[in-house]
Amino acid sequence: MAFSFYMPDIGEGVVEGEIVAWKVKEGDRITLDQPLVEVMTDKATVELPSPRAGTVSKILYKDGQICPVGQVLVVIDEDGAVPVRPSVVSIAPSPPSASGDNGHPVAARANAQVQPASLSAAGGGAIAVVDATASRERVLATPATRRLARQLGVEIGRIKPTGKHGRVTTQDVRGYRPEAPTAAPGVSSPAARPAPQHTPIAIARGGEEERIPLRGLRKRISESMARSVHTAAHFTYVEEIDMTELVALRERAKGRASERGVKLNYLPFIVKAAVSGLKKWPQLNAALDESTQEIVRKKYYHIGIAAQGPQGLAVSVVRDADKRSIFDLSREIDRLGEAVRAGTATREELTGSTFTITSLGKLGGVLATPILNFPEVAIIGVHKIEPRPAVRDGQIVARQLMNLSISVDHRLADGWDGAMFLAEVKALLEDPTTMFMEMV
């Protein structure tokens, strides 16, 4: 019999997923729990396993296409299977009160909660999903699109959708023009503010070229960077760091680290120095809650490490960095880096950072202006360490120098805050003994 595999609800607030890559093709024989497809949401990339064994009969969404939650992804012919009705429910239109405070619809579900594909119930129980397109009263839009609408003061329910299956797109939000405001004279309506126009740029063909679809992680990076630049007010400050003492300390500690199976580099020390600086300048370990207009100063320190993966830049998260030793930080950074390079990092390992460090290691260059990992307030860029001339006690000597650059959201912090934070980091890195005194 034919089994229809629906796009599952794979995360809070997720209403759709982009098909990154199919692992199978029509006509393929597949086994239970065999990887079927990679799907990317606003939160992470996940691999969906097959809930049935059989033959792939029909693939309904191609690579690069968007599949809403509740739509059929693929049809599987089960050889010799006993006919079973999938436990998929059709949801009636929800009343306006069924929307949660975060703007995402709260829908009823079969069996209380949707289970991942790999956790299909034995004995024929299929994955229960909601029909994300059953009601036009519940607007279909990604969290990023909803966030943009809030930033522009636009009521998303008033926007005419142009995306597939009635989805409101970011272009719909930017191009929205409200009707004439009905507010009293002298009173401005948030919805009446004009949204900025963005006309897509067409690139004419000018010779031999290659055209690659913008999708998957690269598309998410593009959207995230554009949102950061167009929302936060960036400024960058640069400081030169004399790493000579830390270079010597690392050389002395490498042997002991090796005995513990740790490959010691400079990032753990920079993380420790950054955490100490954040405790003194908490406005840099914060975020702006735009829905409530509150500055949220976070008392926990989840440090993002931006690194290049096989599909592009990814930010893995070292949680509770303030509670970890140098060796423990080194192990965790290495573990997360391997997961990013292998493409096996989980959503929890790629989300939730409060402050980010970006580094290209030995290719770190001299200077960069990092783009904020929105909605964070600050990010530091680590540049290469190299012998350079410096003046010490009136003499020109060779020192191991490195530049650190910090980009800060000027909406929440001032130049003074960024400079003082980096001065604290500089003092700790230049005299590592004081860093260990600061540790808690």
Side-chain angles (χ1 to χ4, degrees):
M1 64 169 290
F3 171 80
S4 295
F5 179 42
Y6 294 80
M7 175 69 173
D9 181 357
I10 52 180
E12 180 183 358
V14 173
V15 297
E16 63 184 12
E18 178 181 343
I19 307 303
V20 177
W22 282 97
K23 305 295 185 180
V24 297
K25 61 182 182 297
E26 291 181 359
D28 281 359
R29 294 276 302 169
I30 56 174
T31 59
L32 179 66
D33 289 334
Q34 177 178 334
L36 275 183
V37 61
E38 283 187 16
V39 177
M40 174 174 288
T41 70
D42 281 351
K43 300 180 183 295
T45 298
V46 296
E47 189 175 77
L48 301 181
S50 174
R52 294 289 190 274
T55 303
V56 178
S57 174
K58 187 173 182 60
I59 292 175
L60 287 88
Y61 288 86
K62 299 179 180 179
D63 290 0
Q65 291 186 326
I66 303 295
C67 178
V69 167
Q71 295 297 310
V72 178
L73 263 176
V74 60
V75 178
I76 301 170
D77 283 338
E78 299 180 85
D79 297 334
V82 178
V84 177
R85 288 180 60 84
S87 56
V88 178
V89 296
S90 177
I91 303 302
S94 302
S97 61
S99 292
D101 293 339
N102 62 355
H104 300 307
V106 180
R109 304 182 185 184
N111 300 327
Q113 185 175 7
V114 174
Q115 297 295 322
S118 59
L119 300 180
S120 301
I127 301 168
V129 298
V130 298
D131 183 355
T133 61
S135 170
R136 281 300 305 133
E137 293 181 9
R138 294 182 291 144
V139 178
L140 183 61
T142 66
T145 302
R146 294 177 187 277
R147 190 180 304 115
L148 176 62
R150 291 196 299 270
Q151 292 166 0
L152 298 179
V154 175
E155 186 178 341
I156 198 168
R158 296 179 178 271
I159 301 173
K160 182 179 180 180
T162 63
K164 290 185 178 181
H165 309 290
R167 178 171 61 99
V168 176
T169 67
T170 56
Q171 290 79 9
D172 295 336
V173 175
R174 294 185 184 280
Y176 174 68
R177 288 294 179 269
E179 297 177 358
T182 57
V187 179
S188 62
S189 169
R193 291 198 298 265
Q197 284 279 21
H198 174 69
T199 303
I201 299 174
I203 306 298
R205 295 184 180 275
E208 184 180 354
E209 59 190 27
E210 179 184 7
R211 297 207 168 212
I212 303 169
L214 179 61
R215 62 193 188 202
L217 182 59
R218 188 74 261 165
K219 184 175 182 180
R220 290 296 183 271
I221 293 172
S222 172
E223 294 170 346
S224 178
M225 293 298 100
R227 183 171 67 250
S228 179
V229 169
H230 288 99
T231 303
H234 285 65
F235 76 83
T236 301
Y237 176 82
V238 184
E239 183 63 272
E240 183 180 69
I241 314 294
D242 189 339
M243 298 284 283
T244 305
E245 296 300 324
L246 186 55
V247 169
L249 173 63
R250 173 178 172 265
E251 285 299 318
R252 294 195 300 269
K254 282 170 64 176
R256 179 167 295 185
S258 180
E259 292 174 0
R260 290 162 173 75
V262 175
K263 185 178 179 182
L264 188 62
N265 59 30
Y266 297 104
L267 266 180
F269 297 97
I270 296 171
V271 169
K272 274 297 184 185
V275 168
S276 180
L278 292 174
K279 289 184 175 182
K280 292 188 177 181
W281 302 95
Q283 54 268 51
L284 299 185
N285 196 56
L288 175 63
D289 188 328
E290 296 175 336
S291 64
T292 61
Q293 288 298 291
E294 294 175 322
I295 299 174
V296 183
R297 289 189 176 180
K298 301 177 181 180
K299 303 297 181 65
Y300 49 93
Y301 303 89
H302 300 338
I303 306 301
I305 305 295
Q308 192 71 17
Q311 298 177 346
L313 187 67
V315 179
S316 55
V317 182
V318 178
R319 299 190 180 277
D320 298 316
D322 56 320
K323 301 174 182 178
R324 296 176 181 267
S325 68
I326 293 292
F327 285 172
D328 190 22
L329 282 171
S330 188
R331 290 190 193 94
E332 184 67 357
I333 292 170
D334 284 347
R335 185 189 70 80
L336 291 169
E338 287 297 324
V340 167
R341 286 187 289 273
T344 60
T346 65
R347 188 179 82 176
E348 288 72 22
E349 293 170 336
L350 297 174
T351 57
S353 57
T354 63
F355 180 90
T356 295
I357 298 172
T358 179
S359 171
L360 283 176
K362 294 180 180 180
L363 297 177
V366 175
L367 175 65
T369 56
I371 297 176
L372 292 171
N373 185 20
F374 191 81
E376 294 169 21
V377 175
I379 181 174
I380 55 175
V382 180
H383 307 290
K384 64 182 177 181
I385 303 171
E386 61 180 355
R388 296 203 299 258
V391 178
R392 298 290 184 269
D393 299 325
Q395 301 293 319
I396 299 177
V397 295
R399 303 289 289 183
Q400 297 286 344
L401 301 182
M402 173 188 76
N403 290 342
L404 280 182
S405 56
I406 182 169
S407 293
V408 179
D409 188 345
H410 218 324
R411 298 179 305 165
L412 277 69
D414 298 323
W416 170 265
D417 303 314
M420 293 303 292
F421 166 82
L422 213 53
E424 173 70 12
V425 173
K426 173 183 172 74
L428 294 175
L429 293 178
E430 290 189 341
D431 187 354
T433 57
T434 59
M435 182 190 308
F436 292 105
M437 294 176 188
E438 293 281 352
M439 291 182 184
V440 295

